[in-house]
Amino acid sequence: MSESTEMTATAPLRHAPDRPGPTPGPGPAPTRRRPRPRGPLHPATWAPTAFVVVLLGTGWSAVAAEHPYILPRLADVGATLADRPEIFLANAWSTLSIALIGVACGAGTAFVLALLMSEIPVVRRALMPLAVVLNVTPVVALAPGLVVAFGFGLAPKVIVTAIITFFPVLINVATGLRAVPEPVLHVFRTLDASRLEVLWRLRIPYGLPYTLAALRVVMPLSIVGAVVAEFVAAGSSGGLGTLIRTSASSAQLDSVYAAIACLATMGVLMLALVSAVERRVLFWHESQRTRASRRTRAPQRTDTSRPRRSHVAQRTEEPPR
């Protein structure tokens, strides 16, 4: 090998000089703006719902103009509500009282039975098949017998509403009480916690999201139960269900749909109340954190404190082989 070849092989490689780039100034680094959560007045929250409502109202008006014997005009429904507000308020209060008493009885009984079934397996094996049979039995078929047994007062309507709201609360609460992770139970057993302490400090907090999820279902469902009870309970003199039945028999469609609008408003308000309680109570739960993170969109952070290096500068920093 010649001398020039040896010098070429052993000589270090010459790297290209760095390109002049922008030098960061002495000012402070840019701070990240905190995203603001979207409230109910944000257009992204109410605009899709408003669009669907306008679309449905337009379709309703088109059908009502061509076939008034099928759907009444929305103006007639609003006029009926405005002309006789005291009648709808009195009947709405009667239906709401039945729904609240029924859901209190049904949900309260289901919660107590779920506690017993979670602590005593024999009670679970004995009562769960009966609860399933009660759930699959049509409540409309039970209502006439309840009227014969308890009369034409409030009792049969409350029982019908309680039966409708019983099974969802029982299943959800029983599932939540048994959803405690086994490592957490092992920690409580290691600390010699009693069964009452495990139930109060561990199982009930773990089952609280399931309980509130069941209430989100059964609170509006109690309105349905109260209306069904008013439909099938002969001799009932009040309630929106009775008003719908009497108005339909005389072909007063505006009164029928005005009562239905009152029922829908009551169901939405009850669902909103349970959702507000859920956000207040379950602020620590993962579901509420996930929901809050979805409402806030964090902007992408652009770091301008460091100048971007070129590929030539990156290659120059590599040690020679």
Side-chain angles (χ1 to χ4, degrees):
M1 184 180 294
S2 62
E3 183 179 358
S4 60
T5 309
E6 292 179 357
M7 292 178 61
T8 306
T10 57
L13 298 176
R14 295 182 179 180
H15 302 284
D18 295 346
R19 296 179 180 177
T23 305
T31 57
R32 184 179 178 181
R33 295 182 61 185
R34 187 175 182 181
R36 296 180 179 180
R38 293 179 178 177
L41 299 181
H42 195 277
T45 303
W46 57 264
T49 305
F51 174 75
V52 174
V53 169
V54 170
L55 188 64
L56 292 177
T58 304
W60 182 298
S61 301
V63 175
E66 296 293 333
H67 306 283
Y69 53 88
I70 296 178
L71 290 177
R73 294 186 303 173
L74 294 177
D76 296 339
V77 176
T80 302
L81 286 171
D83 292 341
R84 299 180 297 169
E86 66 282 352
I87 296 178
F88 289 99
L89 287 176
N91 288 282
W93 173 249
S94 177
T95 303
L96 183 62
S97 61
I98 295 172
L100 293 178
I101 297 174
V103 76
C105 296
T109 306
F111 187 81
V112 174
L113 290 180
L115 290 178
L116 293 177
M117 288 190 298
S118 66
E119 295 297 321
I120 308 174
V122 177
V123 177
R124 177 179 177 84
R125 292 194 296 268
L127 295 181
M128 186 56 70
L130 299 178
V132 173
V133 171
L134 182 63
N135 182 55
V136 300
T137 303
V139 184
V140 180
L142 297 176
L146 295 175
V147 171
V148 173
F150 297 98
F152 299 101
L154 191 66
K157 304 173 188 176
V158 171
I159 294 175
V160 170
T161 307
I163 291 174
I164 291 178
T165 59
F166 171 79
F167 192 74
V169 177
L170 179 68
I171 293 298
N172 278 270
V173 175
T175 304
L177 293 176
R178 297 173 60 193
V180 181
E182 191 64 28
V184 183
L185 281 174
H186 182 69
V187 171
F188 270 70
R189 295 192 188 102
T190 305
L191 297 175
D192 294 332
S194 62
R195 297 184 66 177
L196 183 60
E197 290 177 343
V198 172
L199 178 64
W200 178 252
R201 297 181 180 273
L202 185 61
R203 292 191 182 274
I204 291 180
Y206 262 92
L208 191 59
Y210 294 83
T211 305
L212 291 175
L215 289 179
R216 291 183 65 182
V217 175
V218 300
M219 289 296 283
L221 192 61
S222 63
I223 301 292
V224 179
V227 173
V228 169
E230 291 170 352
F231 278 164
V232 298
S236 53
S237 57
L240 292 175
T242 305
L243 180 61
I244 292 174
R245 186 179 58 188
T246 55
S247 300
S249 61
S250 58
Q252 297 178 0
L253 292 181
D254 51 351
S255 298
V256 171
Y257 284 98
I260 292 175
C262 294
L263 291 172
T265 304
M266 290 164 55
V268 169
L269 291 178
M270 294 178 73
L271 181 59
L273 178 62
V274 177
S275 300
V277 173
E278 184 179 8
R279 289 193 300 267
R280 183 71 175 177
V281 175
L282 297 181
F283 61 92
W284 51 271
H285 197 255
E286 183 180 359
S287 61
Q288 301 301 319
R289 296 178 183 178
T290 306
R291 190 178 303 174
S293 63
R294 288 178 180 177
R295 288 198 300 263
T296 59
R297 292 183 178 179
Q300 296 182 357
R301 183 178 180 180
T302 56
D303 192 1
T304 58
S305 59
R306 295 182 180 179
R308 187 175 180 180
R309 296 176 300 175
S310 62
H311 63 281
V312 179
Q314 294 177 4
R315 286 189 300 176
T316 343
E317 294 179 359
E318 296 181 357
R321 297 181 180 177

